[in-house]
């Protein structure tokens, strides 16, 4: 599986935007970029995914570099409820499993 | 909003005993999964299940593990003879099918904490 690299931890102030980076320099043409998060004591939760173009949904935006070797998850206005571990995962088309790394632990400062 | 449910929330068992962890996936989903997370470690894929058979499994999923969809709603993970190192959170997930493949999101349940003594 292609590997992703994320910072171990990040902090952000409440009500500010958060940009969570992910590097995936060995991404293949059929790899989708998925983001999940895991709130304390809960199961992982899907956030967003994309292939080449930037994507928006009600939770977040995903900005994908033109060469697809990196991506950024954007939370537009962080709340305390967004404190979680965020995982950037490459998922190959037709491959069912999610391979979780250690993710980025996001702390929101009130 | 539909969600994946899991029972029990916490299971305590003695080493060597059999356990069955139960999951009710979202009703129109067709792909099912089990993952586990040992305390303080990464979430690890165990197995995926589609069309009443295992579609993929990891090295962790050895002969001690089995999965079953005994009826139209439940999806179970059985551990035949538990070991101390099986202590972990076990997450069930399900996924819809679009155009014959699942590249969409997986919906996770809240997990079952398994403690093996």
């Amino acid at each position: 599986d292609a590997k992703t690299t994320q910072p171990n931890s990040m902090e952000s102030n409440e009500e500010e935007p958060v940009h969570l980076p992910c590097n995936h320099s060995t991404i293949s043409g059929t790899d989708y970029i998925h983001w999940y998060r895991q709130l304390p004591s809960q199961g992982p939760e899907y956030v967003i995914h994309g292939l080449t173009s930037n994507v928006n949904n009600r939770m977040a935006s995903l900005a994908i570099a033109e060469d697809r070797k990196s991506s950024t998850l954007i939370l537009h206005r962080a709340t305390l409820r967004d404190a979680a571990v965020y995982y950037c995962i490459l998922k190959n088309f037709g491959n069912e499993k999610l391979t979780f790394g250690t993710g980025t632990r996001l702390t929101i400062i009130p | 909003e539909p969600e994946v449910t899991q029972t029990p929330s916490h299971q305590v068992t003695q080493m060597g005993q059999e356990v069955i962890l139960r999951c009710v996936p979202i009703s129109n989903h067709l792909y099912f999964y089990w993952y586990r997370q040992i305390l303080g470690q990464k979430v690890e894929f165990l197995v995926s299940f589609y069309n009443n058979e295992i579609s993929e499994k990891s090295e962790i999923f050895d002969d001690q593990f089995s999965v079953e969809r005994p009826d139209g709603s439940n999806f179970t993970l059985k551990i035949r003879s538990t070991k101390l190192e099986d202590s972990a959170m076990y997450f069930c997930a399900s996924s819809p099918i679009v155009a014959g493949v699942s590249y969409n999101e997986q919906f996770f349940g809240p997990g079952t904490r398994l403690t093996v003594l």
Side-chain angles (χ1 to χ4, degrees):
Chain A
D1 292 325
K3 195 174 161 53
T4 63
T5 305
Q6 300 178 251
N8 288 332
S9 61
M10 289 183 65
E11 285 185 351
S12 180
N13 294 319
E14 194 178 8
E15 298 184 9
E16 301 262 323
V18 182
H19 289 66
L20 295 161
C22 181
N23 286 317
H24 29 79
S25 59
T26 59
I27 191 170
S28 75
T30 52
D31 283 334
Y32 283 77
I33 302 159
H34 284 244
W35 283 81
Y36 281 75
R37 70 180 185 181
Q38 189 173 21
L39 278 63
S41 303
Q42 295 191 28
E45 175 186 29
Y46 167 81
V47 177
I48 201 166
H49 78 279
L51 182 62
T52 55
S53 305
N54 294 345
V55 185
N56 300 298
N57 67 20
R58 63 176 176 82
M59 287 182 72
S61 296
L62 177 59
I64 301 173
E66 203 169 321
D67 63 6
R68 300 208 327 126
K69 293 186 176 182
S70 65
S71 60
T72 302
L73 179 71
I74 303 163
L75 308 179
H76 294 287
R77 194 166 164 273
T79 68
L80 295 177
R81 199 197 169 273
D82 292 320
V85 179
Y86 286 78
Y87 301 99
C88 169
I89 299 170
L90 300 184
K91 188 168 178 290
N92 197 274
F93 185 81
N95 181 359
E96 293 312 314
K97 68 181 181 187
L98 292 169
T99 302
F100 289 82
T102 52
T104 296
R105 182 173 298 279
L106 177 64
T107 301
I108 304 298
I109 302 165
Chain B
E1 190 172 322
E3 57 184 21
V4 176
T5 59
Q6 292 186 242
T7 54
S9 56
H10 190 188
Q11 173 93 45
V12 181
T13 190
Q14 296 290 325
M15 191 170 56
Q17 294 296 305
E18 175 184 286
V19 293
I20 297 176
L21 309 183
R22 301 180 194 281
C23 168
V24 179
I26 295 173
S27 64
N28 62 344
H29 287 186
L30 297 176
Y31 251 105
F32 313 115
Y33 314 84
W34 284 100
Y35 292 81
R36 79 171 187 190
Q37 186 173 31
I38 295 170
L39 186 65
Q41 297 189 24
K42 299 177 191 178
V43 178
E44 300 175 289
F45 168 79
L46 293 178
V47 65
S48 59
F49 190 86
Y50 172 66
N51 202 23
N52 279 322
E53 59 183 28
I54 291 172
S55 54
E56 188 173 356
K57 60 182 181 179
S58 71
E59 291 177 355
I60 303 167
F61 194 88
D62 61 21
D63 292 344
Q64 292 299 312
F65 291 88
S66 62
V67 289
E68 195 178 30
R69 187 151 162 83
D71 53 42
S73 59
N74 289 285
F75 179 52
T76 61
L77 174 69
K78 182 194 290 187
I79 309 174
R80 235 177 298 279
S81 177
T82 50
K83 307 183 188 73
L84 294 176
E85 54 264 38
D86 293 327
S87 294
M89 281 291 284
Y90 287 81
F91 296 108
C92 174
S94 68
S95 181
I97 296 289
V98 175
V101 292
S102 170
Y103 55 89
N104 291 330
E105 59 263 39
Q106 294 182 17
F107 294 80
F108 284 77
T112 292
R113 178 170 300 284
L114 177 64
T115 302
V116 182
L117 302 176

